[in-house]
């Protein structure tokens, strides 16, 4: 056997020259365990790929042609260390990682794609067994997309962005139990393009807040679903579905607010009839439901659109051309009466 042939004989069949370290392939199944570093790309085949990534994407995932399933999970935060003896206070839980970080890009490509991006959960706070020691706080939930780009491309796309859950507080034998942490954001300063075909959908959820430790008061707030994000429906001639919901709070006897749905950003519909729902998260500690829509331009563009807002609204809404319906619950906000032809309050 020649030296070159001997070398090739020991190259794993699953290796791919362009893949980052930690990625393996088995036909159309691609798995990466160390995220995708900046400047590197994971490229799918022309078939129906399944791409699964653990860690943060700072580089690029390109599904290419075919009906692809792309899933990214940010890593969970580590639990806080327990303490006893002279060291009184336990350690806080580690923060969850973002699924898509700064500069990261996820491209569905042509085909009917399913893209799911989930931030890592915050770690549990450590337990203090020391006298008068405090339990550790839970770690923050990771964001789904922070300053990254998601583009579904051509086809019927189902895109889900969900912030990680906040970590629960750590217990304390003789001191103050730890508080729960805030859930991660769904979209933070990033951009999402839903798709070019009808029946595509975008779902953005804030992460659930962490529970307070047993005997503790303050749970974590629900994560904001959209914070400074830009969302574009795309060019779908028959419209798309967009559902934005703040995360629910954790459980506890004290404060714990539901997350805001759409805090600030920009949302643009399609030329077709879009179905857009904005909702604040629920509080499982009090009655402090999150606001549905706070600030930022919302323009459905053309088509016969339906906008539904559940929760507090302080922003203005431009329904655009078409025979449009604006539904609301607690607060009406400021729908443009010249473009929102039907304005209804419902429960």
């Amino acid at each position: 056997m020649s030296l070159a042939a001997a070398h090739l004989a020991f190259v794993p069949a699953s290796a791919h020259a362009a893949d980052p370290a930690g990625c393996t392939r088995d036909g159309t199944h691609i798995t990466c365990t160390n995220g995708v570093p900046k400047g590197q790309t994971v490229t799918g085949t022309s078939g129906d790929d399944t791409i699964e990534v653990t860690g943060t994407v700072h580089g690029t995932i390109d599904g290419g042609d075919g009906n692809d399933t792309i899933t990214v999970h940010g890593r969970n935060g580590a639990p806080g260390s327990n303490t006893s003896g002279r060291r009184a206070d336990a350690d806080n839980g580690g923060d969850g990682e973002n699924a898509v970080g700064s500069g990261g890009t996820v491209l569905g490509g042509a085909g009917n794609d399913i893209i799911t991006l989930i931030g890592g959960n915050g770690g549990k706070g450590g337990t203090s067994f020391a006298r008068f020691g405090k339990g550790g706080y839970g770690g923050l939930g990771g964001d789904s997309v922070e300053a990254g780009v998601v583009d579904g491309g051509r086809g019927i796309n189902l895109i889900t962005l969900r912030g990680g859950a906040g970590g629960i507080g750590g217990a304390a034998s003789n001191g103050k139990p730890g508080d729960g942490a805030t859930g991660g954001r769904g979209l933070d300063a990033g951009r999402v393009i839903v798709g070019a075909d009808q029946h595509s959908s975008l779902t953005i959820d804030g992460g659930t807040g962490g529970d307070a430790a047993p005997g503790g008061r303050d749970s974590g707030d629900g994560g904001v679903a959209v914070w400074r994000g830009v969302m574009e429906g795309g060019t779908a001639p028959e419209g798309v579905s967009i559902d934005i919901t703040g995360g629910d709070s954790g459980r506890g006897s004290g404060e714990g607010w539901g997350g805001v749905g759409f805090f600030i950003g920009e949302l643009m519909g399609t030329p077709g009839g879009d179905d857009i729902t904005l909702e604040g998260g629920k509080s499982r500690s009090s009655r402090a439901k999150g606001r549905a829509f706070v600030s930022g331009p919302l323009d459905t563009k053309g088509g016969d659109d339906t906008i539904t807002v559940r929760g507090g609204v302080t922003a203005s809404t431009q329904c655009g051309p078409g025979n449009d319906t604006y539904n609301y619950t607690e607060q009406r906000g400021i729908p443009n009466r010249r473009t929102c032809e039907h304005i209804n309050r419902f429960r």
Side-chain angles (χ1 to χ4, degrees), residues 197-200 233-242 269-276 300-307 319 321-325:
D197 290 349
Q198 64 182 5
H199 307 306
S200 292
T235 58
E238 299 299 326
V240 298
S241 173
I242 299 176
T270 72
D274 302 311
D275 189 351
I276 298 172
T300 64
K301 295 189 176 180
D304 298 341
D305 307 303
T306 300
I307 301 171
C319 290
N323 187 19
D324 304 315
T325 300

Side-chain angles (χ1 to χ4, degrees), residues 218-287:
D218 295 336
S219 63
D221 296 337
V224 176
V226 175
W227 177 286
R228 299 178 298 159
V230 176
M231 294 147 288
E232 301 176 37
T235 58
E238 299 299 326
V240 298
S241 173
I242 299 176
D243 193 329
I244 299 172
T245 307
D248 294 342
S249 78
R251 294 182 174 85
S253 60
E255 293 293 338
W257 291 74
V260 175
F262 186 4
F263 184 79
I264 186 170
E266 185 173 358
L267 193 160
M268 294 168 283
T270 72
D274 302 311
D275 189 351
I276 298 172
T277 300
L278 310 175
E279 185 169 3
K282 301 177 180 61
S283 173
R284 298 186 293 177
S285 296
S286 63
R287 296 183 179 179

Side-chain angles (χ1 to χ4, degrees), residues 39 41 94 202 218 273 312:
T41 301
L202 170 64
D218 295 336

Side-chain angles (χ1 to χ4, degrees), residues 192-220:
V192 180
I193 304 169
V194 183
D197 290 349
Q198 64 182 5
H199 307 306
S200 292
S201 70
L202 170 64
T203 300
I204 306 180
D205 296 326
T208 302
D211 295 344
R217 282 182 46 81
D218 295 336
S219 63

Side-chain angles (χ1 to χ4, degrees), residues 8-91:
L8 290 173
F10 290 99
V11 176
S14 60
H16 190 271
D19 287 339
C23 295
T24 58
R25 291 177 179 251
D26 183 4
T28 58
H29 190 178
I30 305 168
T31 303
C32 300
T33 57
N34 293 321
V36 180
K38 182 178 180 180
Q40 299 193 44
T41 301
V42 173
T43 304
T45 70
S46 59
D48 299 344
D49 301 305
T50 297
I51 302 175
E52 298 175 314
V53 177
T54 302
T56 303
V57 174
H58 289 290
T60 300
I61 297 175
D62 186 351
D65 295 341
N67 304 324
D68 305 313
T69 300
I70 301 172
T71 305
V72 182
H73 282 268
R75 289 190 181 87
N76 296 335
S81 299
N82 301 332
T83 57
S84 60
R86 295 183 178 180
R87 187 179 174 197
D89 296 341
D91 292 336

